[in-house]
Amino acid sequence: DFTFSTYYEPTYKSDWMVTNETSTEFVDYTTALRSASGGAFEGDNYAVWNWNYYGPDTVKFDAQVVAGFYINNNVYAVASMSKGDGFAKKFDENDWFKLTITGLKDKTAVGTVDFYLAKDGKYVNQWTYVALSELGEIDAVTFGLTSTDNGIYGMNTPAYFCMDNFGMAKPAGYEAPEMAEFPEDA
């Protein structure tokens, strides 16, 4: 019921990519299709989003109230925030990495939901539910990532996150897991 965009060529992938990777090890960009907790929230497959240079990433669907979805950090983003790399700095307690989800109705923005993937020296390392029902009836959503680590070409933090079960209602009795502290020895 939901249409996700993707862009693929042999040396570059962006938008939504489906994966069944279960390792949490990050080696380089070739191992970027992994969640911080290893594997999906439910089942075998999940999606990894990477910022698209070719235009806004939009998930389209028939007008409805979308309950929400599960989100997790990506191993590439976590490795970069934990240790720093050739592009990005190591995060400290003042840094943050935020996803903004914008709800659209007839191509007009009707509201946003913000979710911090990292903040206050901690990061999301387990599948965590994000509610979207406050956006009301919508027919599309777009995603944008921002960070405190920026340079002359834009955000330095790798622009990735993982998603599972888009459209799923929050289970009764659900309690969000706590964010993890970045490793001291990273």
Side-chain angles (χ1 to χ4, degrees):
D1 295 337
F2 304 104
T3 302
F4 292 79
S5 58
T6 191
Y7 178 84
Y8 175 85
E9 62 181 61
T11 59
Y12 181 75
K13 303 171 195 71
S14 69
D15 291 346
W16 296 102
M17 296 156 281
V18 175
T19 184
N20 59 9
E21 290 275 348
T22 57
S23 174
T24 58
E25 180 184 15
F26 174 73
V27 178
D28 59 27
Y29 73 93
T30 64
T31 59
L33 299 183
R34 297 175 177 176
S35 72
S37 60
F41 169 73
E42 184 174 72
D44 295 327
N45 298 321
Y46 57 101
V48 176
W49 183 81
N50 178 232
W51 184 71
N52 177 2
Y53 292 95
Y54 302 101
D57 297 311
T58 305
V59 177
K60 298 177 183 178
F61 41 87
D62 290 336
Q64 61 186 284
V65 174
V66 177
F69 63 93
Y70 282 89
I71 190 170
N72 202 340
N73 257 308
N74 167 271
V75 295
Y76 185 11
V78 170
S80 177
M81 291 184 289
S82 296
K83 303 173 188 169
D85 57 35
F87 303 102
K89 69 175 189 150
K90 179 180 177 178
F91 268 33
D92 63 31
E93 66 277 352
N94 298 313
D95 290 307
W96 50 262
F97 181 40
K98 178 175 71 173
L99 172 68
T100 298
I101 305 128
T102 302
L104 305 170
K105 179 77 183 275
D106 299 323
K107 299 181 181 179
T108 301
V110 297
T112 60
V113 172
D114 289 330
F115 181 85
Y116 284 90
L117 289 156
K119 186 177 182 182
D120 301 326
K122 297 180 180 181
Y123 71 102
V124 172
N125 72 336
Q126 298 179 55
W127 289 100
T128 304
Y129 191 79
V130 177
L132 298 180
S133 57
E134 69 186 60
L135 296 172
E137 186 175 273
I138 54 177
D139 57 19
V141 292
T142 61
F143 299 87
L145 289 166
T146 53
S147 169
T148 51
D149 186 10
N150 298 285
I152 61 172
Y153 298 109
M155 186 174 73
N156 294 330
T157 308
Y160 287 84
F161 71 90
C162 301
M163 174 194 285
D164 204 355
N165 290 356
F166 187 82
M168 180 180 177
K170 181 166 55 173
Y174 171 82
E175 291 185 32
E178 291 191 25
M179 294 174 108
E181 298 209 13
F182 285 111
E184 291 287 328
D185 59 349

